[in-house]
Protein backbone atom coordinates (compact mmCIF):
# COMPACT_ATOMS: atom_id res chain seq x y z
CA UNK A 1 0.00 0.00 0.00
CA UNK A 2 1.34 3.47 -0.88
CA UNK A 3 0.04 5.33 2.17
CA UNK A 4 2.14 5.83 5.31
CA UNK A 5 1.34 3.98 8.54
CA UNK A 6 0.98 7.37 10.17
CA UNK A 7 -1.90 8.47 7.98
CA UNK A 8 -3.54 5.05 8.06
CA UNK A 9 -3.81 5.43 11.85
CA UNK A 10 -5.33 8.91 11.63
CA UNK A 11 -9.12 9.19 11.87
CA UNK A 12 -10.94 11.63 9.57
CA UNK A 13 -12.86 14.36 11.36
CA UNK A 14 -16.22 12.97 12.54
CA UNK A 15 -18.08 16.17 11.64
CA UNK A 16 -17.12 15.70 7.99
CA UNK A 17 -18.65 12.21 8.00
CA UNK A 18 -21.85 13.38 9.71
CA UNK A 19 -22.24 16.22 7.21
CA UNK A 20 -21.97 13.82 4.27
CA UNK A 21 -24.92 11.91 5.70
CA UNK A 22 -26.96 15.08 6.26
CA UNK A 23 -26.39 16.16 2.65
CA UNK A 24 -27.70 12.83 1.38
CA UNK A 25 -30.88 13.22 3.46
CA UNK A 26 -31.40 16.78 2.28
CA UNK A 27 -30.98 15.66 -1.33
CA UNK A 28 -33.70 13.06 -0.67
CA UNK A 29 -35.98 15.95 0.31
CA UNK A 30 -35.98 15.21 4.08
CA UNK A 31 -36.13 18.02 6.62
CA UNK A 32 -33.01 18.06 8.78
CA UNK A 33 -32.38 20.15 11.91
CA UNK A 34 -28.65 20.47 11.53
CA UNK A 35 -27.22 20.76 15.04
CA UNK A 36 -23.68 19.70 14.15
CA UNK A 37 -22.19 23.07 13.28
CA UNK A 38 -18.88 24.25 14.72
CA UNK A 39 -19.54 27.88 13.93
CA UNK A 40 -22.05 30.62 14.62
CA UNK A 41 -24.33 31.65 11.76
CA UNK A 42 -23.25 35.32 11.95
CA UNK A 43 -21.03 37.54 9.86
CA UNK A 44 -18.11 39.22 11.63
CA UNK A 45 -18.72 42.74 13.00
CA UNK A 46 -19.25 45.40 10.32
CA UNK A 47 -16.19 47.31 11.65
CA UNK A 48 -14.02 44.27 11.03
CA UNK A 49 -15.52 43.66 7.58
CA UNK A 50 -14.73 47.26 6.64
CA UNK A 51 -11.18 46.91 8.06
CA UNK A 52 -10.74 43.99 5.64
CA UNK A 53 -12.10 46.06 2.75
CA UNK A 54 -9.62 48.86 3.45
CA UNK A 55 -6.68 46.54 2.86
CA UNK A 56 -7.79 45.33 -0.55
CA UNK A 57 -5.81 47.84 -2.61
CA UNK A 58 -2.40 47.31 -1.07
CA UNK A 59 0.20 45.17 -2.77
CA UNK A 60 1.46 44.01 0.66
CA UNK A 61 -1.94 42.45 1.37
CA UNK A 62 -1.21 39.89 -1.36
CA UNK A 63 2.45 39.18 -0.62
CA UNK A 64 4.17 36.79 1.78
CA UNK A 65 3.85 37.70 5.43
CA UNK A 66 6.79 37.22 7.82
CA UNK A 67 6.94 33.52 8.78
CA UNK A 68 5.86 33.95 12.43
CA UNK A 69 3.23 36.55 11.52
CA UNK A 70 3.45 40.35 11.29
CA UNK A 71 5.45 41.67 14.26
CA UNK A 72 2.96 44.49 15.02
CA UNK A 73 0.11 41.99 15.21
CA UNK A 74 2.08 39.60 17.41
CA UNK A 75 2.66 42.47 19.84
CA UNK A 76 -1.02 43.43 19.57
CA UNK A 77 -2.11 39.90 20.60
CA UNK A 78 0.38 39.95 23.50
CA UNK A 79 -0.95 43.34 24.67
CA UNK A 80 -4.54 42.16 24.25
CA UNK A 81 -3.80 39.21 26.53
CA UNK A 82 -2.06 41.38 29.14
CA UNK A 83 -5.08 43.64 29.25
CA UNK A 84 -7.75 40.90 29.18
CA UNK A 85 -6.09 38.69 31.80
CA UNK A 86 -4.55 41.49 33.83
CA UNK A 87 -0.94 40.30 33.65
CA UNK A 88 2.45 41.39 32.38
CA UNK A 89 4.55 38.98 30.35
CA UNK A 90 7.65 41.10 31.10
CA UNK A 91 7.28 40.15 34.80
CA UNK A 92 7.95 36.49 33.92
CA UNK A 93 11.39 34.98 34.31
CA UNK A 94 11.52 33.80 30.71
CA UNK A 95 10.87 35.75 27.50
CA UNK A 96 7.35 35.40 26.04
CA UNK A 97 6.42 35.76 22.40
CA UNK A 98 3.52 35.17 20.02
CA UNK A 99 3.50 33.19 16.79
CA UNK A 100 0.60 33.49 14.35
CA UNK A 101 -0.59 30.51 12.28
CA UNK A 102 -3.35 29.55 9.83
CA UNK A 103 -5.99 29.00 12.49
CA UNK A 104 -5.51 27.79 16.04
CA UNK A 105 -5.78 24.16 14.90
CA UNK A 106 -2.60 24.84 12.98
CA UNK A 107 -1.08 26.48 16.09
CA UNK A 108 -1.85 23.39 18.19
CA UNK A 109 -0.50 21.07 15.51
CA UNK A 110 2.80 22.98 15.29
CA UNK A 111 2.99 23.27 19.07
CA UNK A 112 2.64 19.51 19.55
CA UNK A 113 5.26 19.04 16.84
CA UNK A 114 7.83 21.07 18.75
CA UNK A 115 7.03 19.47 22.12
CA UNK A 116 6.48 15.76 21.54
CA UNK A 117 9.17 13.11 21.36
CA UNK A 118 7.99 9.61 20.38
CA UNK A 119 6.37 7.97 23.40
CA UNK A 120 5.69 11.23 25.28
CA UNK A 121 2.29 11.41 26.95
CA UNK A 122 -0.16 14.28 26.75
CA UNK A 123 -3.08 14.36 29.20
CA UNK A 124 -6.54 15.13 27.84
CA UNK A 125 -9.63 15.86 29.92
CA UNK A 126 -12.92 14.40 28.68
CA UNK A 127 -14.93 15.47 26.91
CA UNK A 128 -12.14 16.73 24.64
CA UNK A 129 -12.02 18.40 21.25
CA UNK A 130 -11.85 15.68 18.57
CA UNK A 131 -8.59 16.80 17.00
CA UNK A 132 -6.36 16.65 20.09
CA UNK A 133 -5.78 12.87 20.21
CA UNK A 134 -5.28 12.60 16.46
CA UNK A 135 -2.71 15.41 16.43
CA UNK A 136 -0.86 13.96 19.45
CA UNK A 137 -0.68 10.54 17.77
CA UNK A 138 0.38 12.04 14.45
CA UNK A 139 3.52 13.41 16.17
CA UNK A 140 4.24 10.05 17.84
CA UNK A 141 2.82 10.91 21.26
CA UNK A 142 0.28 9.05 23.40
CA UNK A 143 -2.94 10.66 24.62
CA UNK A 144 -3.76 9.81 28.25
CA UNK A 145 -7.39 10.42 29.06
CA UNK A 146 -8.87 11.69 32.35
CA UNK A 147 -12.62 11.24 32.61
CA UNK A 148 -15.31 13.63 33.79
CA UNK A 149 -19.07 13.14 34.23
CA UNK A 150 -22.22 14.91 33.20
CA UNK A 151 -23.38 15.14 36.82
CA UNK A 152 -20.27 17.18 37.66
CA UNK A 153 -21.06 19.44 34.67
CA UNK A 154 -18.19 17.67 32.87
CA UNK A 155 -15.52 19.00 35.24
CA UNK A 156 -12.78 16.46 36.03
CA UNK A 157 -11.38 15.97 39.54
CA UNK A 158 -7.87 17.28 40.09
CA UNK A 159 -7.03 14.02 41.96
CA UNK A 160 -7.87 12.07 38.79
CA UNK A 161 -5.54 14.31 36.77
CA UNK A 162 -2.80 13.70 39.30
CA UNK A 163 -3.26 9.92 38.91
CA UNK A 164 -2.67 10.25 35.15
CA UNK A 165 0.79 11.79 35.58
CA UNK A 166 3.70 9.50 34.70
CA UNK A 167 7.43 10.03 34.06
CA UNK A 168 6.51 10.29 30.36
CA UNK A 169 3.96 13.10 30.80
CA UNK A 170 4.93 16.11 28.77
CA UNK A 171 1.86 18.30 28.77
CA UNK A 172 -1.81 18.58 29.60
CA UNK A 173 -4.40 20.28 27.41
CA UNK A 174 -7.03 22.35 29.22
CA UNK A 175 -9.86 23.63 27.05
CA UNK A 176 -12.03 26.10 28.95
CA UNK A 177 -14.66 27.02 27.73
CA UNK A 178 -15.01 23.49 26.50
CA UNK A 179 -15.96 22.04 23.15
CA UNK A 180 -18.19 19.90 23.35
CA UNK A 181 -19.52 20.41 26.91
CA UNK A 182 -20.32 24.13 26.63
CA UNK A 183 -19.06 24.88 30.14
CA UNK A 184 -15.99 26.61 31.56
CA UNK A 185 -14.22 25.39 34.67
CA UNK A 186 -14.96 27.40 37.81
CA UNK A 187 -12.57 29.82 39.47
CA UNK A 188 -12.33 27.39 42.37
CA UNK A 189 -11.31 24.58 39.99
CA UNK A 190 -8.73 26.81 38.30
CA UNK A 191 -7.22 27.72 41.69
CA UNK A 192 -6.98 24.05 42.73
CA UNK A 193 -5.51 23.20 39.35
CA UNK A 194 -2.87 25.92 39.93
CA UNK A 195 -2.04 24.48 43.35
CA UNK A 196 -1.65 21.04 41.79
CA UNK A 197 0.64 22.43 39.05
CA UNK A 198 3.02 23.82 41.65
CA UNK A 199 4.02 20.22 42.40
CA UNK A 200 4.80 19.53 38.73
CA UNK A 201 6.96 22.41 37.48
CA UNK A 202 8.02 20.45 34.36
CA UNK A 203 4.45 19.86 33.25
CA UNK A 204 3.38 22.19 30.44
CA UNK A 205 -0.24 23.33 30.28
CA UNK A 206 -1.66 24.02 26.84
CA UNK A 207 -4.53 26.37 27.60
CA UNK A 208 -6.87 26.33 24.59
CA UNK A 209 -8.89 29.52 25.10
CA UNK A 210 -10.52 29.72 21.67
CA UNK A 211 -14.03 30.16 23.19
CA UNK A 212 -13.01 32.55 26.00
CA UNK A 213 -15.06 35.46 24.60
CA UNK A 214 -18.18 33.36 24.34
CA UNK A 215 -19.49 32.95 27.86
CA UNK A 216 -23.12 33.84 28.44
CA UNK A 217 -23.61 33.20 32.18
CA UNK A 218 -21.46 34.84 34.86
CA UNK A 219 -18.88 34.38 36.26
CA UNK A 220 -16.77 34.69 33.13
CA UNK A 221 -13.98 32.20 32.42
CA UNK A 222 -10.84 32.65 34.50
CA UNK A 223 -7.49 30.90 34.20
CA UNK A 224 -5.13 29.27 36.73
CA UNK A 225 -2.21 31.58 35.81
CA UNK A 226 -4.25 34.67 36.71
CA UNK A 227 -4.27 33.56 40.37
CA UNK A 228 -0.58 32.72 40.46
CA UNK A 229 1.39 34.50 37.75
CA UNK A 230 4.47 32.33 38.34
CA UNK A 231 2.52 29.51 36.62
CA UNK A 232 2.86 31.37 33.31
CA UNK A 233 6.32 29.80 33.19
CA UNK A 234 4.66 26.45 32.40
CA UNK A 235 1.78 27.80 30.29
CA UNK A 236 1.22 27.91 26.55
CA UNK A 237 -1.83 29.89 25.42
CA UNK A 238 -3.78 29.12 22.26
CA UNK A 239 -6.37 31.46 20.79
CA UNK A 240 -7.51 32.78 17.42
CA UNK A 241 -10.10 34.81 15.57
CA UNK A 242 -12.34 31.91 14.49
CA UNK A 243 -14.77 32.12 17.38
CA UNK A 244 -14.04 35.51 18.97
CA UNK A 245 -14.40 37.37 15.65
CA UNK A 246 -16.91 34.90 14.13
CA UNK A 247 -14.44 34.37 11.30
CA UNK A 248 -13.71 30.64 11.05
CA UNK A 249 -12.87 30.84 7.34
CA UNK A 250 -10.22 33.55 7.64
CA UNK A 251 -7.80 31.14 9.32
CA UNK A 252 -5.87 33.12 11.89
CA UNK A 253 -4.83 31.53 15.17
CA UNK A 254 -2.01 32.29 17.56
CA UNK A 255 0.10 30.85 20.32
CA UNK A 256 1.62 32.81 23.22
CA UNK A 257 4.46 30.96 24.94
CA UNK A 258 8.08 30.92 25.99
CA UNK A 259 9.96 32.41 23.01
CA UNK A 260 11.94 29.17 22.58
CA UNK A 261 8.66 27.40 21.82
CA UNK A 262 7.28 30.10 19.48
CA UNK A 263 10.60 30.25 17.58
CA UNK A 264 10.55 26.48 17.11
CA UNK A 265 6.95 26.67 15.86
CA UNK A 266 7.99 29.36 13.36
CA UNK A 267 10.71 26.99 12.15
CA UNK A 268 8.02 24.42 11.23
CA UNK A 269 6.06 27.16 9.44
CA UNK A 270 9.18 28.22 7.55
CA UNK A 271 9.43 24.75 6.01
CA UNK A 272 5.74 24.03 5.56
CA UNK A 273 3.02 26.69 5.31
CA UNK A 274 5.05 29.95 5.49
CA UNK A 275 3.44 32.87 7.30
CA UNK A 276 -0.33 33.26 7.65
CA UNK A 277 -2.73 35.23 5.44
CA UNK A 278 -1.38 38.77 4.84
CA UNK A 279 -4.66 40.48 4.02
CA UNK A 280 -6.36 39.35 7.22
CA UNK A 281 -3.34 40.15 9.38
CA UNK A 282 -3.19 43.68 7.96
CA UNK A 283 -6.89 44.18 8.68
CA UNK A 284 -6.39 42.91 12.24
CA UNK A 285 -3.48 45.31 12.71
CA UNK A 286 -5.66 48.21 11.63
CA UNK A 287 -8.73 47.12 13.64
CA UNK A 288 -9.56 48.28 17.14
CA UNK A 289 -10.21 45.05 19.09
CA UNK A 290 -12.39 46.89 21.60
CA UNK A 291 -14.92 47.44 18.75
CA UNK A 292 -15.88 43.83 19.50
CA UNK A 293 -16.85 44.55 23.11
CA UNK A 294 -20.60 44.55 22.51
CA UNK A 295 -20.62 42.50 19.31
CA UNK A 296 -21.56 39.28 21.08
CA UNK A 297 -24.35 40.71 23.26
CA UNK A 298 -27.21 39.55 20.99
CA UNK A 299 -25.45 36.22 20.38
CA UNK A 300 -25.10 35.66 24.12
CA UNK A 301 -28.75 36.54 24.67
CA UNK A 302 -29.71 33.92 22.08
CA UNK A 303 -27.45 31.30 23.67
CA UNK A 304 -29.01 31.99 27.09
CA UNK A 305 -32.46 31.50 25.54
CA UNK A 306 -31.35 28.22 23.98
CA UNK A 307 -29.98 26.96 27.32
CA UNK A 308 -33.29 27.87 28.95
CA UNK A 309 -35.28 26.10 26.23
CA UNK A 310 -33.26 22.93 26.82
CA UNK A 311 -33.90 23.13 30.54
CA UNK A 312 -37.65 23.70 30.03
CA UNK A 313 -37.89 20.76 27.61
CA UNK A 314 -36.19 18.36 30.06
CA UNK A 315 -38.41 19.61 32.90
CA UNK A 316 -41.59 19.14 30.88
CA UNK A 317 -40.54 15.61 29.98
CA UNK A 318 -40.00 14.94 33.69
CA UNK A 319 -36.26 14.48 33.14
CA UNK A 320 -34.74 17.39 35.12
CA UNK A 321 -31.87 15.13 36.25
CA UNK A 322 -30.78 14.84 32.60
CA UNK A 323 -30.17 18.58 32.34
CA UNK A 324 -26.99 20.42 33.24
CA UNK A 325 -26.33 24.13 33.04
CA UNK A 326 -24.17 25.24 30.12
CA UNK A 327 -22.38 28.57 30.44
CA UNK A 328 -20.17 29.13 27.40
CA UNK A 329 -19.23 28.28 23.80
CA UNK A 330 -22.30 27.09 21.88
CA UNK A 331 -22.56 23.38 22.56
CA UNK A 332 -24.53 21.01 24.77
CA UNK A 333 -23.39 17.43 25.42
CA UNK A 334 -26.23 14.94 25.87
CA UNK A 335 -25.30 12.00 28.10
CA UNK A 336 -27.66 9.26 26.85
CA UNK A 337 -26.64 6.84 29.59
CA UNK A 338 -28.73 8.92 32.03
CA UNK A 339 -31.78 8.95 29.75
CA UNK A 340 -34.62 6.39 29.39
CA UNK A 341 -33.86 5.73 25.70
CA UNK A 342 -30.51 4.18 26.65
CA UNK A 343 -32.29 1.01 27.86
CA UNK A 344 -33.11 0.20 24.21
CA UNK A 345 -29.49 0.33 23.10
CA UNK A 346 -27.55 -0.85 26.13
CA UNK A 347 -25.79 -4.23 25.93
CA UNK A 348 -24.11 -6.50 28.54
CA UNK A 349 -20.66 -5.29 27.58
CA UNK A 350 -21.59 -1.64 28.14
CA UNK A 351 -20.40 -0.85 24.61
CA UNK A 352 -20.50 2.69 23.36
CA UNK A 353 -23.65 3.19 21.30
CA UNK A 354 -23.35 6.93 20.56
CA UNK A 355 -23.29 6.29 16.83
CA UNK A 356 -26.35 3.99 16.82
CA UNK A 357 -28.41 6.40 18.94
CA UNK A 358 -27.41 9.42 16.84
CA UNK A 359 -28.34 7.56 13.63
CA UNK A 360 -31.69 6.55 15.10
CA UNK A 361 -32.38 10.14 16.23
CA UNK A 362 -31.62 11.44 12.75
CA UNK A 363 -33.89 8.88 11.13
CA UNK A 364 -36.81 9.28 13.56
CA UNK A 365 -36.73 13.02 14.29
CA UNK A 366 -34.58 14.66 11.59
CA UNK A 367 -32.27 16.10 14.30
CA UNK A 368 -28.61 15.76 13.33
CA UNK A 369 -26.05 15.53 16.16
CA UNK A 370 -22.37 14.58 16.41
CA UNK A 371 -21.75 11.20 18.17
CA UNK A 372 -19.90 11.76 21.43
CA UNK A 373 -17.48 8.84 21.09
CA UNK A 374 -15.16 11.14 19.14
CA UNK A 375 -15.00 13.44 22.19
CA UNK A 376 -13.92 10.60 24.45
CA UNK A 377 -17.29 10.46 26.20
CA UNK A 378 -19.24 7.27 25.43
CA UNK A 379 -23.02 7.17 24.90
CA UNK A 380 -23.33 10.85 24.21
CA UNK A 381 -23.83 13.38 21.43
CA UNK A 382 -22.90 16.99 20.86
CA UNK A 383 -25.62 19.45 19.96
CA UNK A 384 -24.78 22.92 18.63
CA UNK A 385 -27.01 25.80 19.68
CA UNK A 386 -26.70 27.55 16.35
CA UNK A 387 -30.22 27.29 14.88
CA UNK A 388 -32.70 30.18 15.05
CA UNK A 389 -35.04 30.13 18.06
CA UNK A 390 -38.11 28.62 16.36
CA UNK A 391 -36.40 25.63 14.67
CA UNK A 392 -34.21 25.22 17.76
CA UNK A 393 -37.27 24.86 19.99
CA UNK A 394 -38.86 22.39 17.57
CA UNK A 395 -35.69 20.33 17.42
CA UNK A 396 -35.24 20.29 21.20
CA UNK A 397 -38.81 19.17 21.77
CA UNK A 398 -38.45 16.36 19.24
CA UNK A 399 -35.14 15.33 20.75
CA UNK A 400 -36.33 15.32 24.35
CA UNK A 401 -39.50 13.41 23.43
CA UNK A 402 -37.23 10.85 21.76
CA UNK A 403 -34.80 10.43 24.68
CA UNK A 404 -37.68 10.20 27.17
CA UNK A 405 -38.93 6.96 25.55
CA UNK A 406 -38.36 3.71 27.41
N1 LIG B 1 -9.80 24.35 19.73
C1 LIG B 1 -11.09 24.01 19.90
C2 LIG B 1 -11.53 23.54 21.25
C3 LIG B 1 -12.00 24.09 18.83
O1 LIG B 1 -13.28 23.76 19.02
C4 LIG B 1 -11.54 24.54 17.58
C5 LIG B 1 -12.45 24.64 16.37
N2 LIG B 1 -13.60 23.97 16.38
C6 LIG B 1 -10.19 24.87 17.45
C7 LIG B 1 -9.34 24.77 18.55
C8 LIG B 1 -9.60 25.30 16.13
O2 LIG B 1 -10.11 26.51 15.67
P1 LIG B 1 -9.49 27.26 14.43
O3 LIG B 1 -8.49 26.38 13.78
O4 LIG B 1 -10.63 27.58 13.54
O5 LIG B 1 -8.83 28.50 15.00
Amino acid sequence: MILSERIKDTKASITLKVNEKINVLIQQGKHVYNMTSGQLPFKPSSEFVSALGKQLNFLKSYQYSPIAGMSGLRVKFLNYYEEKRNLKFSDCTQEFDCVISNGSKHSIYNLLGVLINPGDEVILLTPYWVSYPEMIKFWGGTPVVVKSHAFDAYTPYIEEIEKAISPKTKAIIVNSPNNPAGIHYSEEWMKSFGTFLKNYPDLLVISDEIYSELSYFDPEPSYFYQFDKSLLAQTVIINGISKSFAATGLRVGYCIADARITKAMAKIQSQTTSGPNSLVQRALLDFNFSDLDNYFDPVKAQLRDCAQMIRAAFREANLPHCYYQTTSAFYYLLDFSRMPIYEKFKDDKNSDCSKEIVEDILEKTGVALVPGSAFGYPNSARMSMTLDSAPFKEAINKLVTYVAQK
Side-chain angles (χ1 to χ4, degrees):
M1 189 38 181
I2 49 168
L3 298 179
S4 69
E5 293 305 319
R6 185 188 285 134
I7 196 63
K8 277 195 256 170
D9 289 343
T10 304
K11 290 191 202 121
S13 161
I14 178 95
T15 34
L16 291 180
K17 282 195 213 153
V18 176
N19 275 305
E20 276 165 23
K21 198 167 253 166
I22 294 172
N23 288 337
V24 172
L25 287 175
I26 292 174
Q27 269 161 19
Q28 290 169 353
K30 302 224 166 88
H31 180 75
V32 177
Y33 299 90
N34 189 348
M35 301 180 100
T36 66
S37 179
Q39 58 197 345
L40 292 165
F42 303 105
K43 253 176 57 175
S45 77
S46 52
E47 289 89 350
F48 183 51
V49 172
S50 82
L52 282 161
K54 277 199 231 149
Q55 298 304 323
L56 287 173
N57 273 328
F58 291 98
L59 173 65
K60 287 251 177 262
S61 298
Y62 301 93
Q63 294 190 312
Y64 285 129
S65 124
I67 299 293
M70 293 177 182
S71 57
L73 185 58
R74 287 160 55 198
V75 170
K76 195 165 173 175
F77 284 140
L78 285 163
N79 292 343
Y80 173 76
Y81 249 87
E82 290 193 330
E83 197 185 309
K84 277 267 159 187
R85 303 276 185 268
N86 191 22
L87 47 89
K88 274 235 151 304
F89 290 114
S90 55
D91 291 346
C92 298
T93 42
Q94 81 268 52
E95 187 195 344
F96 265 79
D97 205 347
C98 170
V99 56
I100 308 173
S101 308
N102 299 289
S104 67
K105 188 184 259 186
H106 186 214
S107 308
I108 300 169
Y109 179 80
N110 286 349
L111 172 65
L112 294 171
V114 307
L115 295 181
I116 292 178
N117 280 317
D120 281 351
E121 293 176 354
V122 179
I123 299 176
L124 298 179
L125 311 176
T126 66
Y128 49 69
W129 181 45
V130 286
S131 297
Y132 298 144
E134 296 312 309
M135 292 200 269
I136 294 165
K137 286 187 277 174
F138 201 82
W139 285 111
T142 307
V144 173
V145 172
V146 174
K147 294 200 160 69
S148 72
H149 293 284
F151 36 77
D152 300 318
Y154 297 106
T155 302
Y157 288 103
I158 307 288
E159 301 82 68
E160 295 299 312
I161 300 177
E162 188 144 27
K163 281 189 209 149
I165 302 258
S166 87
K168 290 186 183 159
T169 310
K170 185 76 188 240
I172 171 166
I173 304 186
V174 175
N175 173 219
S176 177
N178 177 279
N179 173 7
I183 52 100
H184 52 273
Y185 304 133
S186 67
E187 192 174 305
E188 194 193 345
W189 188 92
M190 283 291 175
K191 284 183 181 158
S192 316
F193 182 65
T195 309
F196 147 79
L197 283 176
K198 288 296 235 188
N199 297 326
Y200 298 93
D202 294 331
L203 177 66
L204 272 182
V205 187
I206 301 173
S207 183
D208 181 346
E209 305 179 6
I210 189 91
Y211 295 98
S212 57
E213 299 303 322
L214 266 172
S215 86
Y216 51 88
F217 279 124
D218 285 341
E220 287 192 352
S222 55
Y223 295 90
F224 56 94
Y225 55 78
Q226 290 177 283
F227 306 111
D228 180 347
K229 309 261 168 35
S230 70
L231 292 171
L232 277 170
Q234 52 194 109
T235 306
V236 176
I237 295 163
I238 296 287
N239 211 326
I241 68 164
S242 278
K243 318 288 168 171
S244 54
F245 283 64
T248 48
L250 296 184
R251 309 311 302 136
V252 169
Y254 59 93
C255 172
I256 295 176
D258 184 313
R260 288 168 295 182
I261 294 178
T262 56
K263 269 199 192 83
M265 289 168 68
K267 213 198 276 183
I268 302 191
Q269 292 190 175
S270 76
Q271 301 296 10
T272 53
T273 54
S274 292
N277 186 319
S278 296
L279 174 74
V280 181
Q281 285 189 82
R282 284 173 60 87
L284 285 166
L285 253 175
D286 195 35
F287 175 67
N288 185 357
F289 287 2
S290 58
D291 282 354
L292 286 178
D293 284 352
N294 302 319
Y295 168 68
F296 278 125
D297 289 352
V299 178
K300 290 180 182 180
Q302 188 173 331
L303 291 168
R304 272 193 295 273
D305 281 353
C306 288
Q308 263 138 20
M309 276 183 226
I310 300 173
R311 182 197 189 125
F314 277 120
R315 280 226 172 119
E316 272 160 38
N318 215 7
L319 298 174
H321 58 285
C322 294
Y323 175 81
Y324 73 98
Q325 176 75 64
T326 51
T327 53
S328 42
F330 42 83
Y331 307 108
Y332 189 97
L333 191 70
L334 298 142
D335 179 350
F336 296 124
S337 71
R338 311 168 78 202
M339 302 181 186
I341 192 68
Y342 182 56
E343 295 304 316
K344 279 197 184 160
F345 290 86
K346 188 167 147 186
D347 63 20
D348 307 337
K349 292 185 226 119
N350 259 342
S351 328
D352 173 34
C353 34
S354 308
K355 209 166 141 267
E356 290 75 7
I357 302 181
V358 164
E359 276 170 10
D360 200 46
I361 292 176
L362 182 57
E363 195 184 304
K364 308 254 168 66
T365 68
V367 175
L369 305 169
V370 182
S373 24
F375 305 106
Y377 199 95
N379 298 309
S380 71
R382 187 188 76 179
M383 171 170 84
S384 298
M385 312 199 301
T386 51
L387 290 178
D388 282 344
S389 286
F392 185 81
K393 195 167 186 182
E394 262 170 49
I396 287 297
N397 287 337
K398 280 177 191 281
L399 189 61
V400 173
T401 308
Y402 172 94
V403 298
Q405 293 171 79
K406 291 220 176 78

